[in-house]
Amino acid sequence: MRIGSVEIVPPFALAPMAGMTDTAFRRLVKRKGGCGLVVTEMVSSEGLVRGIDRTPEYAEYTEEERPVSVQIFGCDPEKMAAAARVVESMGADIVDVNMGCPVPKIAKHNAGCSLMREPEHAAEVIRAMARAVKIPVTVKMRAGWDAGEINAPELARRMEDAGAAAVAVHGRTAAQSYSGSSDWDLITKVASGVSIPVIGSGDCTEPAQVVRRLQNGAVSGVLVGRGALRNPWIFQQAADEAAGREARTISPQERAAFLLEYINLLLAERVDVVTARILTIGERAEDVFHVTDDKGQPLGEDARRRLQEKLNEALDRRDAPARA
């Protein structure tokens, strides 16, 4: 899959998930192999241009994550264009526009999925950005706002006409959030109506599902979100299956090691970064604490002890400023 001048091999991408896909997690996923593109957590265009608080940090990445796409959100064409220039100046390979977030605090400001309700205005945003930068501009959208406003096929055509180099489509509406199922027939319809790459998303939690969607549909690539949180090896396994190789089984010990490495990377960052991620660490650790080995026995006490020690260290760093 090629997005503008950027080659994405394999055509599998890690979806942006706020509070989840930080640079540490993205690095580890890339190291496991099979992931052709990573996308940062969504970044406010306003905050990025003005350098508000920690906003620029959400767009930071490392060289080993390349190719990397920085996702921004907003609704003002001029500010979005300015933010795209900031992203380009940071050296990112792609700048992506969030038109899929259904969260009220984003949508109520006419950003995220709300932009899908104003196709002409959305096209103005993309047109302004495409004119402002040389790197590819892409769009992540949903099926539509609700069952009565499913307009992804039309919007995708408008995005292409405005200068978008690719679109990613999650086959649920904003009203559905993550309930129901992703409409891959609609995604196929979107892909058949444009000449730019279409990346499909939704309900790909197993390697075989990722491969099947790529091989059976009209999509050029597959975007994986929640499936990668529970199984960071999903891209490697999908790439193996797509190449006709047997995908290897990941042991509980490997999962524990991944979490330890993730925590170590966070602990190497600034204290406020650890603070911001501590709940996420706990959620991921909870999964690891309850997995079993190949014989169905609980994960070894040593691994669980080391994980708990790392969590305690992170908690201590989080609470240190309050005790000072």
Side-chain angles (χ1 to χ4, degrees), residues 22-298:
D22 49 60
T23 179
F25 185 73
R26 298 194 305 265
R27 271 177 273 170
L28 292 181
V29 168
K30 288 287 284 191
R31 290 174 189 175
K32 301 307 174 187
C35 182
L37 176 71
V38 298
V39 188
T40 68
E41 301 170 80
M42 64 178 180
V43 185
S44 163
S45 58
E46 180 83 19
L48 194 59
V49 172
R50 296 173 57 188
I52 298 174
D53 298 326
R54 289 184 50 217
T55 301
E57 293 179 21
Y58 292 108
E60 292 179 352
Y61 62 90
T62 60
E63 285 299 309
E64 68 177 298
E65 295 172 53
R66 290 192 186 277
V68 62
S69 173
V70 173
Q71 186 183 81
I72 63 176
F73 71 90
C75 64
D76 182 87
E78 291 186 6
K79 289 180 180 177
M80 290 289 279
R85 283 191 287 267
V86 173
V87 170
E88 184 176 51
S89 71
M90 294 174 64
D93 300 289
I94 297 169
V95 58
D96 184 59
V97 179
N98 185 311
M99 293 192 193
C101 182
V103 177
K105 69 177 182 179
I106 301 296
K108 72 179 181 180
H109 295 295
N110 297 322
C113 205
S114 286
L115 275 174
M116 293 192 71
R117 309 187 80 178
E118 302 180 55
E120 290 186 13
H121 182 70
E124 289 179 12
V125 169
I126 299 305
R127 191 172 296 111
M129 292 174 63
R131 289 172 177 169
V133 296
K134 294 180 180 179
I135 60 174
V137 176
T138 61
V139 178
K140 185 176 186 293
M141 64 179 73
R142 283 183 170 248
W145 182 254
D146 56 26
E149 293 184 52
I150 295 179
N151 64 337
E154 174 203 351
L155 187 67
R157 289 191 292 271
R158 286 177 178 265
M159 297 302 96
E160 180 178 22
D161 291 342
V167 295
V169 183
H170 183 99
R172 289 182 175 85
T173 64
Q176 284 180 284
S177 186
Y178 291 102
S179 65
S181 58
S182 180
D183 188 346
W184 278 83
D185 289 336
L186 178 72
I187 296 173
T188 297
K189 184 178 179 180
V190 172
S192 65
V194 296
S195 60
I196 57 177
V198 172
I199 306 168
S201 175
D203 300 338
C204 288
T205 58
E206 298 293 334
Q209 294 172 318
V210 176
V211 176
R212 185 167 62 251
R213 293 305 184 187
L214 183 66
Q215 294 179 340
N216 296 349
V219 297
S220 299
V222 179
L223 190 67
V224 181
R226 291 173 295 169
L229 294 180
R230 292 299 299 270
N231 178 19
W233 292 264
I234 190 171
F235 301 103
Q236 178 195 60
Q237 292 170 323
D240 283 342
E241 289 196 17
R245 300 185 294 268
E246 183 178 354
R248 71 184 186 89
T249 301
I250 309 303
S251 70
Q253 288 74 22
E254 287 179 283
R255 296 181 186 278
F258 181 96
L259 188 57
L260 280 169
E261 192 172 4
Y262 175 67
I263 295 173
N264 281 333
L265 283 175
L266 287 182
L267 289 173
E269 305 289 343
R270 288 167 34 189
V271 173
D272 57 351
V273 174
V274 176
T275 302
R277 303 301 180 191
I278 191 64
L279 292 179
T280 300
I281 297 172
E283 290 167 1
R284 290 176 183 164
E286 193 67 19
D287 288 334
V288 174
F289 288 152
H290 290 90
V291 298
T292 58
D293 62 22
D294 296 336
K295 296 182 181 179
Q297 298 300 312

